[in-house]
Amino acid sequence: MQSKKSGSKPAQRVIKKYPNRRLYDTETSTYITLAEVKQLVMSKASFVVRDAKTGDDLTRSILLQIILEEEAGGAPMFSEQALASIIRFYGQAMQGYMGPYLEKNIQAMTELQAQMAESAETLSPEMWSRFLSVQSPMLQGLMGNYAEQSKSAFKQLQEQMQKNTEQALAAFGIKKP
């Protein structure tokens, strides 16, 4: 456990997972559902899910369970091809780089979504219909920014891989020509 020093991160909300698969929110002293955990995610609440017996961190598995339920809910985000591609990265040299690359792309998409929402919230219904008729150039501009950020993230990924390869080879006395 972290000590509570001044200036440290605020305490995370702790959710305990019991062997009967129930989730217990220690902040509210109540059992909660997976849907309520999803709401914590949506509200950007800081939390951790711990095994009630061992104290192991189960947060990732609970988040994956939420994604699985969302994907099975009728409007999946990932195609079979996308899921298969993600699976293929496991055990490959690029596995360690894929997570940060996806995170940067999701962050760029989140920023794009926020920009679009900001533009849209000030529009009346009439203005909204005009916006929709001319959104193509604006959307292309926003998507161009996203594509540029994605390209930049991929370039950083390649540079980091090259640097790591050179360091590994140097450890064996092999220098780049």
Side-chain angles (χ1 to χ4, degrees), residues 1-174:
M1 289 275 164
Q2 291 180 334
S3 61
K4 293 185 179 181
K5 297 177 185 174
S6 63
S8 64
K9 292 195 305 186
Q12 283 188 321
R13 188 172 188 161
V14 176
I15 312 292
K16 291 184 179 180
K17 184 172 188 276
Y18 286 91
N20 64 3
R21 298 175 29 180
R22 293 189 76 185
L23 299 167
Y24 183 79
D25 185 344
T26 60
E27 186 173 293
T28 62
S29 299
T30 58
Y31 286 100
I32 62 172
T33 65
L34 213 51
E36 290 169 307
V37 175
K38 178 185 172 192
Q39 287 305 312
L40 292 175
V41 172
M42 299 303 286
S43 66
K44 299 181 181 177
S46 178
F47 70 92
V48 63
V49 180
R50 299 232 175 254
D51 184 286
K53 274 188 178 177
T54 65
D56 291 345
D57 187 346
L58 303 176
T59 309
R60 290 185 75 251
S61 67
I62 294 298
L63 294 173
L64 286 167
Q65 192 174 346
I66 291 168
I67 290 170
L68 181 61
E69 285 192 5
E70 289 294 317
E71 286 290 306
M77 185 183 307
F78 299 106
S79 66
E80 289 177 19
Q81 294 84 5
L83 291 170
S85 294
I86 291 169
I87 291 168
R88 287 184 195 107
F89 275 102
Y90 285 96
Q92 302 299 318
M94 293 274 296
Q95 179 179 341
Y97 299 100
M98 196 59 185
Y101 175 74
L102 290 173
E103 280 182 45
K104 286 179 182 177
N105 277 280
I106 289 170
Q107 182 62 38
M109 265 315 257
T110 302
E111 291 168 7
L112 172 67
Q113 182 182 20
Q115 288 175 4
M116 289 182 70
E118 188 178 300
S119 298
E121 73 182 22
T122 59
L123 299 177
S124 67
E126 297 80 29
M127 291 172 72
W128 181 248
S129 72
R130 269 192 252 143
F131 171 75
L132 290 175
S133 67
V134 294
Q135 79 168 345
S136 187
M138 181 184 145
L139 189 57
Q140 287 173 354
L142 290 173
M143 288 305 287
N145 289 340
Y146 165 74
E148 198 56 44
Q149 287 177 340
S150 179
K151 182 177 159 184
S152 173
F154 188 72
K155 186 176 180 184
Q156 288 175 349
L157 172 76
Q158 285 180 312
E159 290 168 356
Q160 184 63 43
M161 284 182 57
Q162 184 175 1
K163 180 180 172 186
N164 288 352
T165 302
E166 288 172 4
Q167 288 175 347
L169 292 174
F172 292 108
I174 302 170

